[in-house]
Amino acid sequence: MGKIIAVANQKGGVGKTTTAMNLAASLAVLEFKTLVIDADPQANTTSGLGHDPKSVEASIYECMVDGIGIESIIVKTNLEHLFLVPSHIDLVGAEVEMINMDNREEKMKEVIASVKDQYDFIIIDCSPSLGLITINALTAANSVIIPVQCEYFALEGLGKLLNTIKIIQTRLNPDLGIEGILLTMYDVRLRLSNQVVEEVRVHFKSMVFDTIIPRNVRLSESPSFGLPVISFDADGKGAIAYLNLAGEIVQRNGLQKATN
């Protein structure tokens, strides 16, 4: 049975999409069959993995609102073990259209149910909000990764997100766990970056991943080529960091290697 991990933070610009696509790619390189679901109307994971959002005919939106089977919209990527459920701008309207639906918070869970046993990992890239689509992702997930940038105001809004997670645990998904807090955009030269790392580790202790994602030019460039960083600059610091994160998650979940 696949482990479903949502990557969520209502703050924009914290490395959420970068993390979702590059963690998924790194798990795939480790030969875990991985599905990444782009649940963000900006569709940056879709374009970052080589698919033009404008040419996407059906997305997670159609699955949740119109009942289209998720199997029919999964597309391949440039990596053998990595698959994508694309997004497009229509997802913006999904929250309004779902407002009167029964069990509206569980639509994504229902959609994923038919394929979750076919993958080792399912990674969901959430939009930068705590709206209905993100709530759907957290209701469907087994756990959540929270990216936190190593910058001023890093912890701002984190309490609100953790409170939302508690509400979802209480009302919708009692099995939702926190996979970990991931420090991103780390610049070793900046005292502020080091202070944020220290502050987050003091506050959250073992919840924080050992792996820290650095600021890295190649990591920023790779989406414009439609490639995860592991395919774009395999020996670079960004690629190595995400491979380390994937290894840490595999270890935390007591997995050894991919199941065939």
Side-chain angles (χ1 to χ4, degrees):
M1 189 172 107
K3 175 144 196 188
I4 303 168
I5 303 175
V7 182
N9 191 329
Q10 78 272 26
K11 278 188 77 172
V14 298
K16 197 164 29 57
T17 293
T18 301
T19 294
M21 62 179 275
N22 287 301
L23 170 59
S26 297
L27 289 165
V29 166
L30 296 175
E31 298 190 358
F32 289 92
K33 190 178 179 187
T34 305
L35 177 67
V36 58
I37 296 176
D38 191 349
D40 184 348
Q42 295 174 74
N44 290 335
T45 293
T46 300
S47 58
L49 290 175
H51 290 270
D52 180 2
K54 290 175 186 168
S55 64
V56 169
E57 291 181 12
S59 71
I60 190 72
Y61 164 84
E62 280 79 13
C63 295
M64 293 168 69
V65 174
D66 300 328
I68 288 176
I70 192 171
E71 299 91 337
S72 65
I73 68 161
I74 293 170
V75 293
K76 293 180 178 179
T77 69
N78 76 307
L79 292 172
E80 182 185 354
H81 299 287
L82 181 62
F83 300 85
L84 169 71
V85 171
S87 176
H88 58 58
I89 193 66
D90 284 359
L91 194 60
V92 167
E95 301 206 354
V96 177
E97 292 189 44
M98 291 166 64
I99 210 85
N100 293 319
M101 287 184 176
D102 293 333
N103 302 321
R104 62 188 180 187
E105 298 90 355
E106 298 186 0
K107 291 298 171 189
M108 192 179 294
K109 184 178 182 179
E110 291 168 10
V111 166
I112 295 173
S114 62
V115 295
K116 70 178 182 181
D117 293 341
Q118 298 169 30
Y119 295 90
D120 298 302
F121 287 98
I122 296 175
I123 309 294
I124 307 172
D125 180 24
C126 299
S127 61
S129 75
L130 292 179
L132 189 53
I133 302 297
T134 298
I135 288 167
N136 260 267
L138 294 173
T139 302
N142 302 118
S143 64
V144 55
I145 290 173
I146 305 168
V148 173
Q149 82 278 41
C150 297
E151 292 176 1
Y152 200 57
F153 294 134
L155 298 179
E156 188 186 63
L158 197 52
K160 191 176 178 185
L161 176 60
L162 291 170
N163 192 44
T164 300
I165 289 168
K166 273 186 189 166
I167 291 167
I168 287 167
Q169 286 168 332
T170 305
R171 298 183 188 172
L172 295 164
N173 184 3
D175 299 324
L176 180 65
I178 294 176
E179 192 73 30
I181 292 170
L182 177 68
L183 291 156
T184 63
M185 303 180 187
Y186 174 73
D187 188 336
V188 70
R189 299 165 300 177
L190 298 181
R191 189 200 297 177
L192 178 62
S193 276
N194 293 300
Q195 286 174 339
V196 171
V197 169
E198 198 175 320
E199 188 178 357
V200 172
R201 289 210 156 130
V202 165
H203 269 80
F204 297 103
K205 302 182 173 63
S206 62
M207 283 168 66
V208 185
F209 286 110
D210 293 334
T211 302
I212 297 176
I213 308 301
R215 275 200 180 279
N216 181 257
V217 173
R218 306 294 271 173
L219 195 55
S220 303
E221 286 176 345
S222 67
S224 63
F225 291 87
L227 293 169
V229 72
I230 196 110
S231 302
F232 182 66
D233 182 32
D235 297 325
K237 286 182 180 176
I240 290 166
Y242 276 109
L243 265 177
N244 288 340
L245 176 64
E248 205 174 330
I249 287 170
V250 167
Q251 197 172 15
R252 282 188 179 203
N253 285 281
L255 300 170
Q256 294 301 316
K257 58 180 181 176
T259 51
N260 292 322

